[in-house]
């Protein structure tokens, strides 16, 4: 397949649904917290009872504007809601309230590794409920389905990209950055497994050099970044095979099955006219004043790209900056430590080293530990002031994570403070030199790498408390 790949160019556009973290639904007062008992958040509005009226949730609009601004979109001064008709068992009204030709956000972009990916639009809409397939008929797996309408009416922002991506890696990087953005601005959990962020991938192929895009297939049901990449790779190969055999790719919606690692046809893809969109008569068009937009802009938290730049300007490598930003809990913790005046380099070494390893090992988040930014800042200060060595710091950080003890307290209790008194260290250095005559001869004979051995012995004697620089200097002096 590899050389066939060279003949074709891949075109990808993503439609990402982000579930907005409002307290209540987009047009109803029911809560929309994940994991509640089935069918408990179901007001008559959610159930689509005759005569009920939707009322727009202002917080959902605020979050839509905030996201649009973070994605460099224009926020038109007017948007409106439309009915999109289709029948699903988990959509009691028989239509979804969405936005069709006048969405809340238009014409944006985000930059991924220096490449600009256009964002066509982002629009507000309501989510459907959930079908739970149950029973078993031995063949298709389930013999009946139950419906849970808790999710029905949860606000979604659908973010539609331009067909600007050219590989599965680019699509994944775009999706990851989008997730970072919605999480940092606090509008969405970005949890692909729980479905609070969902992605439909549109994929087509065309002969290299062609200007005309091929017919696309839309892939649904990818619920991890790696599944997205696998699904796209599979789909590219499937389409190339069809075209190579003289066939035509049909426009359709396909489902990704991550177990069998293939896509299968779900339904022919509807065209917009099949949905019979018309303006939602129960909701007024929404006027968004410039003051409103500017007010929200002024509350914009630092975006992931700016955070990365800032970390790099503090001396972090691009790699470290990326890794920290990917883990929002760590990044927010790091920022708190910086605010307390800690040296960034030492803080990063702890966070990316011992702390990250501990969290991974325990499968927990930093907020689940007893370590506070204040405690880490104090530890760093002790190292900077030469009260303790870096190595001692690396030992006591674990007690701090587990028990929340202050570094200064541990140092005091265990007598870990660094020996900086030169004459005291000199005595120990001399003792080590005297008791290792063979190594001294070898060292003087040219085996200079034995210096490390002597340093190690002194550290052992002092339980790691001697100042390493002083030890090195004194050893060189005494050994000549
Ligand atoms: P629909 O609303 O029917 O899903 P849109 O025109 O809104 O269709 O496009 C949906 C997504 O498909 C967009 O992200 C767009 O970038 C992408 N797309 C459109 N044409 C192609 C194509 N030929 N190949 C790949 N992606 C495409
Ligand atoms: Mg679409």
């Amino acid at each position: 397949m590899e050389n066939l790949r060279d003949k074709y160019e891949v075109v990808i556009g993503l439609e990402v649904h982000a579930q907005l973290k409002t307290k209540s639904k987009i047009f109803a007062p029911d809560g929309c917290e994940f994991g509640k008992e089935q069918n408990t958040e179901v007001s008559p509005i959610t159930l689509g009872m005759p005569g009920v009226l939707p009322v727009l949730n202002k917080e959902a609009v605020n979050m839509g504007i905030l996201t649009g601004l973070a994605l460099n979109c224009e926020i038109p001064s007017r948007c409106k809601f439309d009915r999109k008709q289709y029948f699903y068992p988990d959509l009691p009204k028989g239509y979804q309230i969405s936005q069709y030709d006048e969405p809340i956000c238009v014409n944006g972009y985000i930059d991924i590794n220096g490449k600009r990916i256009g964002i066509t639009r982002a629009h507000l809409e309501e989510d459907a409920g959930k079908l739970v397939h149950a029973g078993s008929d031995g063949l298709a797996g389930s013999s009946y389905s139950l419906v849970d309408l808790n999710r029905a009416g949860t606000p979604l922002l659908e973010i539609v990209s331009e067909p600007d991506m050219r590989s599965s890696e680019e699509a994944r990087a775009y999706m990851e950055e989008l997730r970072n953005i919605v999480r940092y601005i606090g509008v969405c959990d970005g949890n692909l497994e729980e479905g609070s962020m969902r992605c439909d991938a549109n994929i087509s192929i065309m002969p290299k050099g062609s200007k005309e895009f091929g017919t696309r297939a839309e892939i649904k049901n990818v619920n991890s970044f790696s599944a997205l990449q696998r699904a796209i790779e599979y789909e590219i190969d499937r389409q190339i095979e069809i075209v190579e055999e003289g066939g035509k790719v049909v426009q359709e919606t396909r489902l990704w099955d991550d177990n069998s690692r293939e896509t299968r046809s779900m339904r022919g893809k509807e065209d917009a006219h099949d949905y019979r969109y018309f303006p939602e008569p129960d909701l007024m068009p929404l006027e968004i004043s410039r003051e409103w937009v500017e007010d929200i802009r002024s509350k914009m938290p630092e975006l992931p790209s700016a955070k990365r730049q800032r970390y790099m300007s503090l001396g972090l490598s691009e790699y470290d900056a990326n890794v920290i930003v990917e883990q929002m809990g760590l990044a927010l913790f790091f920022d708190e430590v910086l605010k307390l005046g800690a040296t960034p380099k030492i803080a990063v070494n702890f966070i990316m080293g011992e702390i990250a390893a501990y969290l991974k090992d325990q499968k927990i988040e930093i907020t689940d530990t007893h370590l506070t930014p204040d405690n880490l800042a104090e530890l760093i200060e002790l190292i900077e002031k030469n009260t303790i060595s870096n190595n001692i710091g690396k030992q006591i950080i674990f007690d701090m994570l587990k028990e929340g003890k202050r570094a200064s307290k541990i140092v005091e209790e265990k007598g870990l403070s660094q020996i900086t008194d030169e004459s005291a260290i000199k005595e120990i250095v001399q003792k080590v030199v005297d008791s290792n005559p063979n190594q001294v001869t070898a060292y003087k004979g040219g085996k200079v790498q034995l210096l490390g051995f002597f340093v190690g012995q002194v550290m052992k004697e002092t339980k790691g408390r001697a100042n390493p620089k002083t030890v090195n200097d004194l050893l060189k002096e005494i050994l000549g």
Side-chain angles (χ1 to χ4, degrees):
M1 218 62 189
E2 276 317 305
N3 48 348
L4 278 181
R5 284 266 181 127
D6 294 341
K7 286 171 62 183
Y8 295 94
E9 186 146 27
V10 176
V11 174
I12 303 166
L14 298 186
E15 295 166 274
V16 175
H17 287 88
Q19 215 173 71
L20 300 176
K21 287 202 302 192
T22 52
K23 288 206 179 67
S24 56
K25 294 185 177 175
I26 185 166
F27 304 118
D30 338 342
C32 40
E33 200 183 312
F34 183 80
K36 281 280 176 72
E37 191 184 338
Q38 289 88 338
N39 297 308
T40 51
E41 298 287 356
V42 286
S43 63
I45 298 176
T46 296
L47 294 176
M49 293 292 174
V52 296
L53 289 171
V55 176
L56 180 60
N57 180 341
K58 185 169 182 186
E59 200 48 30
V61 178
N62 286 339
M63 289 182 173
I65 297 173
L66 186 69
T67 312
L69 293 175
L71 303 177
N72 303 294
C73 289
E74 292 157 31
I75 310 297
S77 50
R78 181 192 128 114
C79 65
K80 75 174 189 7
F81 291 89
D82 300 276
R83 278 191 190 180
K84 183 179 182 182
Q85 339 281 327
Y86 55 94
F87 175 79
Y88 271 135
D90 52 7
L91 185 77
K93 295 199 300 296
Y95 60 86
Q96 175 192 30
I97 304 180
S98 180
Q99 296 191 297
Y100 180 50
D101 53 350
E102 293 186 60
I104 185 164
C105 312
V106 296
N107 288 334
Y109 64 85
I110 54 175
D111 291 329
I112 307 295
N113 304 324
K115 179 175 166 176
R116 186 151 290 186
I117 308 293
I119 289 170
T120 319
R121 54 185 279 151
H123 63 258
L124 289 167
E125 61 186 25
E126 56 181 336
D127 206 348
K130 230 184 234 171
L131 286 178
V132 182
H133 303 294
S136 171
D137 61 5
L139 277 173
S142 63
S143 50
Y144 65 95
S145 298
L146 298 165
V147 66
D148 175 11
L149 292 172
N150 281 356
R151 198 180 65 182
T154 298
L156 297 177
L157 188 70
E158 178 174 341
I159 302 161
V160 183
S161 87
E162 288 288 300
D164 284 349
M165 288 157 274
R166 293 291 174 271
S167 67
S168 66
E169 289 82 15
E170 266 180 29
R172 179 184 184 147
Y174 166 85
M175 180 74 184
E176 284 178 340
E177 186 64 350
L178 211 51
R179 173 182 191 255
N180 283 333
I181 292 171
V182 295
R183 291 184 78 212
Y184 276 98
I185 65 175
V187 301
C188 173
D189 294 335
N191 190 330
L192 275 67
E193 283 78 15
E194 282 182 5
S196 66
M197 199 169 177
R198 306 192 285 270
C199 168
D200 304 339
N202 294 270
I203 301 151
S204 66
I205 55 163
M206 60 182 177
K208 267 235 163 89
S210 164
K211 293 236 154 31
E212 204 174 316
F213 289 171
T215 303
R216 69 192 150 109
E218 181 191 42
I219 314 296
K220 285 190 183 291
N221 205 33
V222 281
N223 46 21
S224 70
F225 293 114
S226 53
L228 172 65
Q229 224 181 324
R230 282 194 287 274
I232 293 173
E233 290 297 322
Y234 175 89
E235 187 58 22
I236 295 169
D237 286 341
R238 189 189 71 88
Q239 293 187 10
I240 290 178
E241 209 171 297
I242 293 173
V243 174
E244 283 290 318
E245 284 168 4
K248 274 202 162 84
V249 175
V250 290
Q251 182 169 326
E252 63 179 348
T253 299
R254 300 180 66 86
L255 274 190
W256 171 247
D257 183 335
D258 207 39
N259 291 319
S260 63
R261 305 253 159 126
E262 58 186 15
T263 60
R264 57 192 146 78
S265 182
M266 180 169 120
R267 56 163 192 251
K269 173 80 183 154
E270 300 81 353
D271 281 316
H273 60 250
D274 295 324
Y275 291 121
R276 298 286 186 272
Y277 278 105
F278 66 81
E280 169 58 57
D282 291 338
L283 288 166
M284 297 288 281
L286 182 63
E287 306 261 349
I288 299 179
S289 72
R290 296 306 88 185
E291 291 73 35
W292 188 356
V293 174
E294 290 316 311
D295 181 48
I296 289 182
R297 197 195 301 277
S298 71
K299 293 178 189 140
M300 178 71 70
E302 184 178 39
L303 293 172
S305 54
K307 217 178 254 300
R308 261 183 227 113
Q309 286 302 323
R310 179 164 59 83
Y311 290 168
M312 281 159 68
S313 74
L314 292 172
L316 269 67
S317 68
E318 188 174 356
Y319 177 83
D320 285 352
N322 274 325
V323 173
I324 292 204
V325 169
E326 282 303 317
Q327 303 177 66
M328 192 166 77
L330 286 187
L332 299 180
F333 190 90
F334 180 46
D335 283 344
E336 289 302 312
V337 176
L338 289 179
K339 265 190 219 151
L340 295 164
T343 313
K345 224 42 249 162
I346 307 183
V348 166
N349 287 341
F350 273 111
I351 291 177
M352 302 273 297
E354 288 70 25
I355 298 176
Y358 177 78
L359 300 179
K360 197 168 168 204
D361 181 60
Q362 303 281 315
K363 298 189 178 65
I364 53 174
E365 299 284 324
I366 185 106
T367 42
D368 301 325
T369 73
H370 288 97
L371 186 69
T372 63
D374 190 46
N375 282 3
L376 182 59
E378 194 211 28
L379 174 67
I380 292 169
E381 202 188 330
L382 291 175
I383 293 171
E384 288 246 83
K385 287 199 310 207
N386 280 327
T387 308
I388 57 168
S389 68
N390 206 33
N391 274 335
I392 295 286
K394 286 181 178 179
Q395 290 166 32
I396 67 177
I397 186 77
F398 294 103
D399 287 341
M400 297 169 67
L401 283 159
K402 281 180 216 155
E403 291 157 25
K405 267 195 185 160
R406 288 189 72 77
S408 50
K409 188 108 197 292
I410 302 175
V411 169
E412 191 191 304
E413 279 174 8
K414 297 196 176 167
L416 295 173
S417 62
Q418 189 157 232
I419 310 169
T420 41
D421 174 13
E422 220 185 287
S423 60
I425 299 178
K426 194 164 187 173
E427 219 168 276
I428 298 163
V429 168
Q430 191 64 55
K431 195 176 132 202
V432 165
V433 168
D434 291 347
S435 48
N436 293 286
N438 294 344
Q439 280 82 355
V440 173
T441 317
Y443 179 86
K444 290 192 169 160
K447 252 189 135 183
V448 288
Q449 63 271 35
L450 275 172
L451 188 70
F453 162 78
F454 289 109
V455 174
Q457 292 300 307
V458 175
M459 285 305 182
K460 209 167 149 193
E461 284 285 316
T462 59
K463 297 196 177 70
R465 293 164 53 221
N467 179 308
K469 188 175 177 319
T470 317
V471 173
N472 266 284
D473 291 349
L474 286 170
L475 272 168
K476 280 183 193 153
E477 189 188 308
I478 292 174
L479 289 169

